[in-house]
Amino acid sequence: MHTPRVAAVHDLSCFGRCSLTIVMPTLSAMGLQCCPVPTALLSTHTGGFSGNTFLDLSDEMAAITAHWQDLKLGFSGIYTGFLGSRRQIGLTGSFIRTFRRKGTLVVIDPVMGDNGKPYRTYTPELCQGVQELSRLADVIVPNRTEAAILLGKAYDEVTLDREEDCRRWAKELSLKGRRSVVLTGVSLAPDRIGAACFDRETGDVEIVSAPRVEGSFHGTGDIFASVLTGGLVRGMDLPTAAALAADFTALCARRTAEQDYPKREGVDFEPLLWQLGAKLAEKTGEIPANRIR
Ligand code: PXL
């Protein structure tokens, strides 16, 4: 039996938890082999630190793709996130086209911004590219800011506190049902936060939620999308995987809020990973054999 593999196309920010420093341990704890394709190498993430180093790894991405193609690798999942430049839209698109087989799940986190603002390195041109790339997804995981950009609407217009609105946005983001959508940041009651899940398999929208923890914590979006991806690759249906992601993200946010350390260091999740593994074992039992070699 081979452990299922997930290729993870994200940046490696060496300090301040986000992207690969969250994606790799989380997928591992979920019993999956994570194969990283680093998009950029940074000394820290770009939120809350100044003077970070930034090395664009586009040339390496192309070389890694070519070598893996020679090796005839296959993946049960391909999960993409933060991209370093406009050129990486094309490189990530060709990575997906090269390695996608029948049964490969493609999750695209259309990382562009948060709290109504694009991230520092996300130019309008790069955001346009993310929109194009997201057409290749089986599942997208936008937050409210990213949903507004994808829908071409103002941030304030994309309200996520009424059930009928959340259902409508999730469906509108699905490109007429061609892709599933997990729209995060949905809050139908002040003490709950979660996601609206449009499942293209059923055509239904389900809303999942967990207790809200006051404050915002760097990397919670990456925790959520990693657990969602891991759950789907482990065979869960969309709302079940999203509910697991919401619960685990809430657990991590609560622990982080209780710790006294700089917020920019990111979500304090490592000591909780064993609980994620235990929960998954309870829900899914055996790790499935890799569907794709
Ligand atoms: O988690 C989003 C993210 C990923 N990667 C880098 C970032 C951010 C958000 O600031 O700066 C480098």
Side-chain angles (χ1 to χ4, degrees), residues 9-12 37-42 46 54-62 80-93 111-112 119-133:
V9 185
H10 297 257
D11 68 284
L12 179 57
V37 182
T39 58
L41 177 67
L42 295 85
T46 64
F54 185 101
L55 176 66
D56 183 301
L57 293 176
S58 300
D59 290 340
E60 289 305 305
M61 286 173 73
T80 77
F82 184 97
L83 301 179
S85 59
R86 181 70 176 83
R87 185 178 160 210
Q88 294 188 355
I89 299 293
L91 289 165
T92 306
V111 172
M112 289 184 277
Y119 294 128
R120 226 186 321 131
T121 53
Y122 272 69
T123 59
E125 198 195 16
L126 182 53
C127 292
Q128 176 62 36
V130 172
Q131 186 145 8
E132 286 159 24
L133 182 69

Side-chain angles (χ1 to χ4, degrees), residues 11 13 17-19 42 44-47 82 111 119 218-219 222:
D11 68 284
S13 289
R17 302 170 184 91
C18 71
S19 27
L42 295 85
T44 66
H45 62 65
T46 64
F82 184 97
V111 172
Y119 294 128
H218 229 285
D222 293 322

